[in-house]
Amino acid sequence: MTPPVRELVGRDADLTRLAEIIGLDDPRGVGIVVSGDAGIGKSSLLARFSADAEAADWSIAWGHCVGQSGSGVAYLPFTELLARLDLLEPDVVEQVVASRPALAVLLPGRRGAAASTHSPGQVAEAVHAVLTAVGERSPLLVVLEDAHWADPSSRDLMTLLLTRGFASPVALVVTYRSDDLHRRHPLHETLAVWARIAGVEHVDLQPLGDSAIRDIVTAAGSRELGERTTQEITKRAEGNPFFAEELAASTVAGQPISGGLSRVLWARVDQLSTPAQEVVRTMAIGGRTISHDLLVRLVDLTEAELDAAIAEAVERHVLETRWPPAYAFRHALLAETTTSDLLPGQRIRLHRAYAGALASDPSLGSPAELARHAAASGDLVTAVGAAREAARADLAVGGPVNALQHLEEALGWMPEDDDERDEVSLEASDAALTAGDVVRAVQLLRDRIEHPGPRQSPATRARLLATCANRCRLVDLVFAETALDMTTEAMSIDPSNDSADHLFVLTAHMQQLVDTRQYTDAAALGEEATALAQRLDLPGALAEIRTVMSRVIEVHDDLDALERHIDGLLADVGDRRDPLRVRIHHQAATMHHRRGRLGQALESYDRGAALANELHIDWAPFALESRLIGGLTAYELGDWEGARRRLHVTDPLLPQPGRSFFDAALMGVRVGQGENIDEDEISAVREWWHVDGFGVVQLVMPAVDHYGHRGDLARALDIAEDAVDTLDRTWGRYHAVVRLAALVAGQAATNAPHTDATVLRRARADLESLTAKVDAIVREPQPGVREPTTEAVEETNTETWAWNVRLRAELLRLDWHAGQGSPPDPTTMVDAWRASVEAFERYGHAYETARSRARWAAALKASGDAAGARHEAHLAREVATRLGAAPLLRELDDLVATPSSGPDSPDALTPREQEVLELVAKGLSNGQVGAQLFISTKTASVHVSRILAKLGAASRTEAAALARERGLVP
């Protein structure tokens, strides 16, 4: 509901700015965040602005976040917003509901029709779609007021809408109270995200000047105030128009202006009659707004007395009427002040009355409201039941964060010996996992495991332990070390035999045995679990057991056997809408990737990610990795646009540490294209290194290249050393060290000519340690291969093999560039870099093939093979140009610009002159050269003249002949 339009004082500049931002007469899609202290005039400004927009043929829709009672209801402002849109454009809303059923859960009267559970992503997509569709009919102004009271789901949805923007003329305005925020306020972190969204405008309403406040005071005081009183009120209002109004009105009513504002505000209520005060006090304990039906149940007044009391409160500017029949405080501060004035006994009695009314008639309010009032009145049993019901309702509309809040509140109300506490802990952990907060999901279970109630049964404890162990493995640096102990205990106390619960414990323990490389024991337990699943006729559980066993097959057999096993799993699960299929596709992709089949790996990752999206579990385990590693694989294949598309995530619902994985992986593309990375971005990802080693690996690789490209080898070594220390403590041996060593060696070699000797000695020491780790990796027994040789790695892990070959070539290049001792033999360097190119070509990594080729070209040039160097550099440049790989292009430019026999050598051509020379050698005219290179004919002619001068040629034909003779062109 749009607030009433009032006279606007002192806000002309703000009004003009809003009109300019949205293009009042030339509409466009835009996001605006309006902030300011309570009472500063946000609502009045936007009410006036809405009226102006409506006069300019805009459609207007408001949604209000509500404090206290409303804060526990998921998507509350969007429910109000959608109700308004349903009145404005019912046919558009119907069309969107038909294509996106998730919208129905936000439409009053239609939630029951939306039988299925919808994910937050579906709800967000539906809201964005309906706003866009309405905006296509006519420009649409959407105002979401008081975001500081927004529930988590609403905050996330606001973030998504601001991030995505709108193709149609939709102006989204979000307001919040800046003076309500503090460091731990839930909106605090969200505002940091909003501040970084490109295109979103921020308007901070400042206090009004004294002249404007004086005008407000004079108007509010009906000119009955003297000059001295007006000055005093103006001073005390400190530029806040609402404070000024309230102080002036209180003074006119004969109330003293000394004391706090709360006393002045309460004086407005104190003037009311006893029935009206009863209504106001009753309303205040429930929040800012209350429905007529609920108020009737709460006050002991006849219908006539109630009508008279409400009319009096409205006339005295304490309350406002709403439709459908409801009443609201004119300002939230009035409700807060009234609540603070209540005596403890009054509060308890009112909360008890609310709880009784809501329990007897659920249509009067949400389960979240019942839970709050029941808890405040001391009825914790009712509060817990209502909180669990509220959680289920929020999960049904895609609000897992809200559900988690309700369930954690319920746990806070329950004694530790409550028989239901185990189930509520599991429910809360499930909600946290659905929300993507794996760490919280584990913490909730561990708390119950470590603090069991006296009546906790062995079967329940076994289930808690097994569930917790399964979730521990999703964040390997925090909890994984205790997961095996958990399943071991679960196995020892599980009293069941042939039951699904026992099978669940068996499977969890088998997974831990696999994770800790106890493959023989895992295989034996797998046979037992398989037999039990078959006896119980549980095909889903059987498929999961076989999926876990894939790793055992990989270790004890060869990759061909693993591939046959995975193909069999996919055939068994068929086209069922089963999340297990996501995991199997992920395993297939991993297997293809190890064998160097990057194209097939990407297809499998994409299939897994698409299935996860279809099942609305985009950020679940294996679903997240399918999209993430799919993006990394696209990067390796040279599809950098595809990589960006997969790795750039705008969904505000993606939790940490998952978001840091994507941010770090995207840095690989950004660094490869020469984009600068801020230190804050690197630090933000490093904050999550303690949670999962995957984030360590994803960040350290691009960071080494980033610092190396900037010539800061010391910083590159710093982060590499920190990463190795972290991973050594948690993973022991890990194949990622091979790639890291090669990248460090590469940046050390590139920077050696201009690096301090101390830093260079440090680099050599680090590389000696890293190389020892690499040697241990490439010589360890590989799955399916008996002899521990480097050739074994070539067959079973093409990526590790390629990076190992690259490391050896980079170490030779470091010796060459460092200029210490005897330089490596040029032929040896040429052979090493040829091997690196061949290894990365076989692996399929386009960029690293090109980077190796550029360094092969440098080795060829150093050996005197100018023609061969030119050929390889040309091939590398083609790839670098296609990828937009600026650092590699600079490396190639330096190679071409560096003469082979002194600075005055005739082959010291610029990169552009080299391109022109190659086209001239093919017989193209100046005009054809210009067309080929998208330059003018005159510019091409200038380049040709310079080339003739540098080569000492009298004609184009002679220049071509000399270039071929000197190896400048193929």
Side-chain angles (χ1 to χ4, degrees):
M1 177 179 176
T2 305
V5 179
R6 309 168 58 196
E7 182 181 358
L8 199 61
V9 179
R11 294 296 183 194
D12 291 346
D14 296 311
L15 197 62
T16 300
R17 186 182 176 197
L18 289 176
E20 290 174 350
I21 292 173
I22 75 165
L24 197 59
D25 298 319
D26 182 20
R28 55 183 175 271
V30 68
I32 307 173
V33 178
V34 178
S35 60
D37 291 349
I40 204 67
K42 300 182 294 297
S43 297
S44 298
L45 173 66
L46 290 170
R48 175 74 266 171
F49 184 61
S50 296
D52 292 346
E54 193 168 26
D57 296 326
W58 285 63
S59 297
I60 313 296
W62 282 55
H64 296 82
C65 303
V66 181
Q68 298 185 40
S69 63
S71 62
V73 182
Y75 299 120
L76 182 63
F78 290 96
T79 300
E80 179 187 354
L81 173 66
L82 265 294
R84 173 64 176 165
L85 294 180
D86 203 14
L87 291 174
L88 288 174
E89 298 287 353
D91 56 331
V92 173
V93 174
E94 285 294 338
Q95 291 172 7
V96 175
V97 170
S99 60
R100 293 174 173 84
L103 190 66
V105 302
L106 300 182
L107 289 167
R110 302 196 202 183
R111 289 194 179 195
S116 60
T117 298
H118 297 284
S119 70
Q122 289 177 298
V123 175
E125 178 63 26
V127 172
H128 185 271
V130 75
L131 294 181
T132 301
V134 173
E136 290 171 351
R137 289 282 186 92
S138 64
L140 173 63
L141 172 63
V142 175
V143 179
L144 297 174
E145 196 168 34
D146 294 329
H148 53 279
W149 282 325
D151 62 276
S153 297
S154 293
R155 286 197 304 272
D156 290 338
L157 182 46
M158 291 177 197
T159 301
L160 182 139
L161 295 176
L162 289 170
T163 301
R164 290 191 61 178
F166 298 91
S168 62
V170 177
L172 174 63
V173 181
V174 180
T175 77
Y176 70 92
R177 282 190 196 172
S178 51
D179 57 341
D180 263 18
L181 300 188
H182 50 81
R183 186 171 64 86
R184 295 181 181 234
H185 193 285
L187 186 64
H188 191 269
E189 291 185 2
T190 303
L191 290 176
V193 176
W194 291 357
R196 296 194 297 269
I197 300 175
V200 173
E201 296 287 342
H202 297 263
V203 178
D204 184 22
L205 296 189
Q206 298 299 313
L208 296 178
D210 284 351
S211 61
I213 292 294
R214 284 178 61 87
D215 291 341
I216 292 172
V217 171
T218 300
S222 303
R223 303 186 185 278
E224 298 177 13
L225 301 173
E227 177 61 22
R228 182 174 180 179
T229 303
T230 300
Q231 288 179 352
E232 186 174 0
I233 293 174
T234 299
K235 179 181 178 181
R236 294 199 59 203
E238 296 182 345
N240 188 299
F242 176 73
F243 291 1
E245 287 181 352
E246 296 305 309
L247 287 166
S250 250
T251 302
V252 170
Q255 301 297 323
I257 62 174
S258 59
L261 178 63
S262 61
R263 291 185 178 275
V264 176
L265 292 172
W266 172 244
R268 299 289 301 279
V269 178
D270 201 32
Q271 297 176 35
L272 299 176
S273 65
T274 300
Q277 286 191 29
E278 180 186 353
V279 168
V280 170
R281 288 191 177 98
T282 301
M283 285 182 55
I285 205 70
R288 186 176 182 180
T289 305
I290 188 172
S291 71
H292 175 81
D293 291 341
L294 179 56
L295 184 59
V296 168
R297 298 285 294 271
L298 295 173
V299 295
D300 187 19
L301 297 173
T302 66
E303 186 174 345
E305 289 172 333
L306 177 59
D307 290 343
I310 291 172
E312 179 187 353
V314 170
E315 185 178 355
R316 294 280 186 169
H317 304 292
V318 175
L319 300 182
E320 295 175 340
T321 59
R322 298 286 173 87
W323 185 263
Y327 313 105
F329 282 92
R330 179 171 172 266
H331 195 285
L333 288 176
L334 281 165
E336 295 167 15
T337 303
T338 304
T339 302
S340 65
D341 191 70
L342 292 171
L343 297 172
Q346 290 176 306
R347 291 170 185 260
I348 292 176
R349 288 191 293 273
L350 285 170
H351 280 302
R352 188 178 298 126
Y354 267 92
L358 294 170
S360 63
D361 187 353
S363 68
L364 294 175
S366 69
E369 293 177 84
L370 173 57
R372 184 175 74 88
H373 290 297
S377 65
D379 185 0
L380 299 183
V381 174
T382 299
V384 169
R388 296 176 73 179
E389 184 180 349
R392 288 190 290 269
D394 283 336
L395 287 172
V397 298
V401 177
N402 297 71
L404 177 59
Q405 286 185 341
H406 293 314
L407 291 166
E408 289 200 353
E409 284 181 339
L411 288 169
W413 297 328
M414 302 172 72
E416 286 197 343
D417 60 353
D418 193 307
D419 291 339
E420 294 186 0
R421 192 174 180 87
D422 294 318
E423 287 301 323
V424 176
S425 296
L426 285 164
E427 290 173 9
S429 179
D430 289 344
L433 193 66
T434 303
D437 193 344
V438 182
V439 173
R440 193 64 170 175
V442 172
Q443 289 172 335
L444 286 162
L445 294 177
R446 286 185 60 156
D447 181 69
R448 189 55 181 163
I449 291 168
E450 294 169 4
H451 304 281
R455 294 189 296 274
Q456 187 180 75
S457 70
T460 298
R461 182 171 182 82
R463 185 154 62 99
L464 285 165
L465 287 164
T467 304
C468 190
N470 282 338
R471 291 170 186 177
C472 281
R473 65 186 304 271
L474 303 177
V475 277
D476 54 27
L477 296 189
V478 181
F479 305 115
E481 73 282 359
T482 63
L484 180 59
D485 294 338
M486 290 181 182
T487 57
T488 301
E489 181 184 348
M491 289 285 290
S492 68
I493 65 174
D494 182 18
S496 56
N497 293 313
D498 284 4
S499 69
D501 286 342
H502 182 59
L503 180 60
F504 176 73
V505 173
L506 281 179
T507 306
H509 189 52
M510 179 181 65
Q511 179 69 74
Q512 292 306 317
L513 292 174
V514 169
D515 289 347
T516 54
R517 302 182 180 183
Q518 300 179 52
Y519 301 118
T520 302
D521 292 342
L525 196 61
E527 293 179 2
E528 180 183 346
T530 298
L532 179 56
Q534 291 171 339
R535 286 198 305 274
L536 297 175
D537 191 22
L538 296 174
L542 181 60
E544 183 173 357
I545 293 164
R546 294 184 62 198
T547 302
V548 175
M549 291 296 292
S550 297
R551 177 60 179 162
V552 179
I553 295 172
E554 180 180 353
V555 170
H556 289 285
D557 209 336
D558 56 27
L559 293 181
D560 291 332
L562 176 63
E563 186 168 358
R564 289 191 298 271
H565 181 76
I566 291 174
D567 288 343
L569 283 174
L570 287 172
D572 288 344
V573 298
D575 295 328
R576 294 202 310 264
R577 292 173 56 84
D578 189 341
L580 185 61
R581 285 174 56 204
V582 177
R583 181 174 181 178
I584 299 172
H585 282 304
H586 179 277
Q587 286 192 333
T590 302
M591 180 267 300
H592 288 309
H593 196 282
R594 286 190 58 186
R595 306 193 80 168
R597 304 172 183 170
L598 299 191
Q600 290 175 266
L602 182 57
E603 290 178 6
S604 292
Y605 282 131
D606 282 349
R607 278 196 292 269
L611 177 60
N613 181 259
E614 179 184 336
L615 297 174
H616 318 306
I617 53 170
D618 299 79
W619 308 129
F622 301 106
L624 181 150
E625 286 190 18
S626 291
R627 176 168 171 177
L628 175 67
I629 306 180
L632 293 170
T633 305
Y635 164 81
E636 293 172 328
L637 285 166
D639 179 12
W640 284 11
E641 286 304 311
R644 280 185 177 270
R645 185 176 65 254
R646 293 172 176 86
L647 298 176
H648 180 65
V649 178
T650 59
D651 186 355
L653 303 179
L654 174 60
Q656 294 288 15
R659 182 172 297 279
S660 70
F661 296 166
F662 281 90
D663 290 343
L666 187 57
M667 287 181 195
V669 182
R670 295 170 61 195
V671 169
Q673 293 184 325
E675 184 178 333
N676 186 53
I677 307 296
D678 292 336
E679 283 301 310
D680 288 347
E681 296 181 76
I682 294 175
S683 297
V685 175
R686 287 196 66 168
E687 288 181 5
W688 296 96
W689 274 19
H690 71 286
V691 176
D692 200 291
F694 193 70
V696 181
V697 172
Q698 291 311 307
L699 176 64
V700 68
M701 307 301 180
V704 165
D705 273 348
H706 163 68
Y707 290 125
H709 292 162
R710 292 170 52 186
D712 194 345
L713 181 59
R715 294 292 294 278
L717 296 175
D718 287 343
I719 197 167
E721 290 170 0
D722 289 348
V724 170
D725 288 344
T726 301
L727 294 174
D728 281 352
R729 288 194 305 270
T730 54
W731 282 0
R733 287 186 177 184
Y734 47 96
H735 281 240
V737 73
V738 185
R739 179 183 173 194
L740 178 58
L743 291 175
V744 170
Q747 291 302 336
T750 298
N751 287 280
H754 47 79
T755 294
D756 179 80
T758 301
V759 176
L760 201 56
R761 284 195 297 272
R762 176 187 170 193
R764 286 188 176 278
D766 285 356
L767 284 168
E768 183 177 352
S769 174
L770 288 171
T771 302
K773 296 178 184 295
V774 171
D775 290 342
I777 289 292
V778 299
R779 292 189 173 91
E780 71 179 358
Q782 300 298 312
V785 180
R786 294 183 179 180
E787 295 299 325
T789 64
T790 303
E791 290 72 19
V793 179
E794 180 180 353
E795 294 300 323
T796 60
N797 197 318
T798 312
E799 178 183 11
T800 297
W801 166 69
W803 282 108
N804 178 57
V805 174
R806 169 75 163 271
L807 170 62
R808 312 303 162 170
E810 293 287 18
L811 291 173
L812 290 172
R813 190 167 73 99
L814 174 59
D815 290 340
W816 178 34
H817 282 180
Q820 297 176 352
S822 300
D825 177 63
T827 302
T828 302
M829 278 213 310
V830 168
D831 291 343
W833 281 108
R834 179 190 294 110
S836 181
V837 170
E838 291 172 350
F840 279 109
E841 279 185 325
R842 173 175 170 181
Y843 173 37
H845 199 313
Y847 176 60
E848 295 302 344
T849 299
R851 193 148 61 155
S852 294
R853 198 180 294 280
R855 291 166 190 177
W856 184 18
L860 287 168
K861 188 172 184 178
S863 71
D865 186 356
R870 180 58 52 202
H871 175 72
E872 298 305 329
H874 176 74
L875 294 177
R877 183 177 292 277
E878 287 183 339
V879 175
T881 301
R882 176 175 62 82
L883 297 178
L888 180 54
L889 287 170
R890 287 195 297 270
E891 183 176 336
L892 290 165
D893 289 346
D894 292 341
L895 174 64
V896 173
T898 303
S900 58
S901 56
D904 298 323
S905 175
D907 65 344
L909 304 175
T910 67
R912 176 61 83 184
E913 289 170 353
Q914 180 62 41
E915 292 174 331
V916 171
L917 176 59
E918 291 175 0
L919 295 176
V920 168
K922 293 179 180 179
L924 273 64
S925 67
N926 289 349
Q928 290 171 323
V929 169
Q932 186 80 12
L933 299 178
F934 300 98
I935 59 178
S936 67
T937 301
K938 182 177 180 181
T939 300
S941 177
V942 170
H943 284 307
V944 170
S945 297
R946 290 175 178 171
I947 291 169
L948 295 179
K950 289 183 177 182
L951 295 181
S955 66
R956 297 161 64 90
T957 303
E958 183 181 2
L962 288 172
R964 291 190 180 92
E965 178 183 334
R966 296 172 184 174
L968 299 179
V969 296

